[in-house]
Amino acid sequence: MEFRLRVFRFNPQEENAGRFDEYKLSYEEGMTFLRAFHVIKERHDESFSFRHFCRAGICGTCTVMINGFPKLACKEQVLPYILFADEITVEPLRNFEVIRDLAVDNEEVIGRMKAYRTWIADSSENKPIPPKVNKLIEKGADCILCSACQSYCPQVLEPDYAGPLFFAKIHRFLVDPREENKELRLKEALDEGHLYHCLSCNKCNNVCPKDVEPATLIRELMVYGDA
Ligand code: SF4
Ligand code: SF4
Ligand code: FES
């Protein structure tokens, strides 16, 4: 079975604007989009650029827009798409600057991760975590930083709005009994991250590949903020 992949191509160092190139590919059993990208690179154009690392849905580096929705290319199967249409469109993540083709600049995410200190403050006490609390921590801790939610959130275009990825992380630390700076964390979410600018549209919940449900965690943060 053959299908066509319309792929966004752009080299900002040499071009002023991107374009879509079309590749005719043969379906292979179990083919993921990441595999299709490798076929393009191996057989059509070795300059084609995209990010990936683990190939197992863990590292969060391979996220791209497939037919307008952010997906992990290493997990997303080609077959369901070509059963209904013989052409699929692949673009880089929205709300991010393109470095080349499907690879985007995630420096801002890394910078914000550092600014929000997404790690537990040093604690000398070995505080036990009740199983119920552990369940709450797991939600935000399951986040693989894939940026699918950031790319699909309409409010991320507002420069000061931190975005669902960060609120999920802040929630993870707020509910962790080992965190010593809960008040500061909440202040950061409210004042610097502009938590209340969230539209509660749930788009981030719908596209998260790890069921982190950032919009739900945001609403829980708002309850903390109102308290
Ligand atoms: S619920 Fe809030 S964070 Fe999630 S996509 Fe909508 S505006 Fe963005
Ligand atoms: S919350 Fe979900 S969609 Fe957002 S970065 Fe984490 S894993 Fe990806
Ligand atoms: S390559 Fe790691 S999540 Fe896809």
Side-chain angles (χ1 to χ4, degrees):
M1 195 179 348
E2 290 204 319
F3 64 99
R4 283 174 292 131
L5 217 52
R6 275 182 79 238
V7 182
F8 185 79
R9 304 297 308 272
F10 182 36
N11 181 353
Q13 312 221 317
E14 294 177 4
E15 301 159 300
N16 293 324
R19 65 183 190 279
F20 282 93
D21 281 356
E22 203 169 283
Y23 301 96
K24 201 181 261 187
L25 305 178
S26 297
Y27 177 72
E28 300 168 1
E29 195 181 343
M31 193 178 216
T32 61
F33 280 87
L34 184 58
R35 171 65 191 147
F37 299 164
H38 279 288
V39 171
I40 293 173
K41 196 167 179 71
E42 286 159 17
R43 300 181 198 160
H44 297 268
D45 183 351
E46 63 179 15
S47 72
F48 178 41
S49 301
F50 50 95
R51 284 189 202 275
H52 68 95
F53 188 62
C54 71
R55 298 180 185 225
I58 295 168
C59 73
T61 58
C62 66
T63 326
V64 292
M65 306 299 291
I66 300 174
N67 283 353
F69 294 95
K71 302 280 181 188
L72 296 180
C74 70
K75 297 297 283 181
E76 197 70 2
Q77 293 284 316
V78 167
L79 186 60
Y81 291 83
I82 58 177
L83 289 178
F84 298 102
D86 67 354
E87 184 182 274
I88 312 160
T89 299
V90 181
E91 299 161 88
L93 280 182
R94 288 182 197 146
N95 301 341
F96 288 83
E97 195 179 323
V98 175
I99 294 177
R100 184 154 177 172
D101 299 336
L102 300 181
V104 296
D105 185 353
N106 51 19
E107 280 303 314
E108 199 188 322
V109 169
I110 294 167
R112 276 198 200 253
M113 289 289 286
K114 287 180 185 163
Y116 288 123
R117 300 178 321 286
T118 49
W119 53 85
I120 289 281
D122 198 13
S123 171
S124 48
E125 287 181 62
N126 192 11
K127 292 179 188 152
I129 303 174
K132 211 171 142 193
V133 176
N134 212 16
K135 276 262 168 244
L136 283 174
I137 293 174
E138 271 172 18
K139 273 283 178 196
D142 279 349
C143 168
I144 57 171
L145 308 178
C146 72
S147 294
C149 55
Q150 292 289 114
S151 74
Y152 209 55
C153 169
Q155 283 302 78
V156 164
L157 293 174
E158 189 185 294
D160 293 334
Y161 183 66
L165 186 164
F166 299 99
F167 292 132
K169 285 292 174 197
I170 288 171
H171 180 280
R172 179 247 172 278
F173 292 107
L174 260 185
V175 295
D176 192 321
R178 295 167 297 181
E179 171 57 41
E180 292 169 341
N181 292 321
K182 286 179 192 277
E183 273 181 29
L184 181 65
R185 293 249 180 230
L186 195 55
K187 191 174 172 323
E188 284 171 340
L190 297 175
D191 298 346
E192 290 162 38
H194 297 273
L195 180 83
Y196 284 98
H197 291 199
C198 171
L199 303 172
S200 268
C201 64
N202 273 3
K203 285 186 173 206
C204 51
N205 277 12
N206 296 338
V207 296
C208 176
K210 293 292 172 184
D211 292 328
V212 172
E213 297 186 84
T216 311
L217 302 184
I218 287 170
R219 286 191 279 275
E220 286 179 18
L221 281 178
M222 286 176 177
V223 173
Y224 279 101
D226 290 340

